[in-house]
Amino acid sequence: MTRKQRRLVLIGSGLVVLAIAAVLVLTALRDSIVFFNSPTDIVEKKVEAGSRIRLGGLVQPGSLQRKDIDAVFEVTDGKNAIRVTYRGILPDLFREGQGVVAEGRLIDSTSFRADNVLAKHDENYMPKEVADALKKQGHWKDDYGKAPEAQGASQVTPK
């Protein structure tokens, strides 16, 4: 075997080892990667039932129902809505009409069981995925990201 052939065998072997390592890493991460979807994405992409995903959008006004620690509400992007069931304490900032990201499993194309609900952390924040989904659907309002003074709120001055 010539020196050139040994070098090619060594490089080829290294590439095979790297490919095997990449396949093993991607296989291991497949179960832990959670993809973000809007309600329209779920309907259009036909996401499989039982898939672990993040669902983002706005909490449909008038859809929240609470009984003890169980909550049922709808997440909408203005075009489609998904019914979400959640057992647990909702975040303090969780409100109807506000942005929310729910993480859990899709039951079917209209139902979702959340095991974690994230609400926006202040009045100026909209999760990037939710904002992008709303912009994509054409339901983005320019005042979502502005400070309260810019939205016409009065400023209180101390005495």
Side-chain angles (χ1 to χ4, degrees):
M1 188 179 275
T2 64
R3 186 174 174 180
K4 183 178 180 181
Q5 289 173 331
R6 278 186 271 160
R7 195 177 324 146
L8 288 175
V9 168
L10 183 64
I11 290 172
S13 300
L15 290 175
V16 168
V17 169
L18 283 175
I20 291 171
V23 168
L24 291 174
V25 167
L26 291 175
T27 302
L29 289 176
R30 187 177 58 191
D31 291 336
S32 63
I33 295 174
V34 179
F35 294 102
F36 176 84
N37 289 287
S38 69
T40 299
D41 290 340
I42 291 172
V43 171
E44 290 178 354
K45 292 179 183 175
K46 298 182 181 173
V47 177
E48 290 182 30
S51 301
R52 182 158 182 80
I53 60 170
R54 285 179 155 190
L55 172 65
L58 300 174
V59 178
Q60 180 79 33
S63 68
L64 178 61
Q65 299 171 358
R66 291 184 187 201
K67 183 178 180 186
D68 297 329
I69 61 170
D70 295 324
V72 177
F73 55 94
E74 289 184 359
V75 174
T76 183
D77 58 0
K79 188 174 180 183
N80 291 296
I82 302 286
R83 182 175 171 258
V84 177
T85 58
Y86 176 68
R87 183 176 185 94
I89 299 171
L90 290 169
D92 290 339
L93 298 174
F94 180 89
R95 288 185 216 114
E96 294 179 347
Q98 298 292 322
V100 67
V101 175
E103 188 174 314
R105 297 211 181 269
L106 188 66
I107 298 171
D108 58 36
S109 63
T110 60
S111 301
F112 184 82
R113 181 178 308 277
D115 53 26
N116 191 16
V117 174
L118 306 170
K120 65 179 194 170
H121 69 276
D122 69 19
E123 67 271 2
N124 298 324
Y125 178 74
M126 175 74 70
K128 182 182 181 316
E129 295 90 357
V130 174
D132 291 344
L134 290 173
K135 286 178 183 176
K136 186 177 171 184
Q137 294 301 319
H139 295 284
W140 177 256
K141 295 179 183 174
D142 288 335
D143 61 347
Y144 280 145
K146 292 183 180 175
E149 294 84 34
Q151 296 175 9
S154 62
Q155 185 174 6
V156 178
T157 55
K159 293 181 179 181

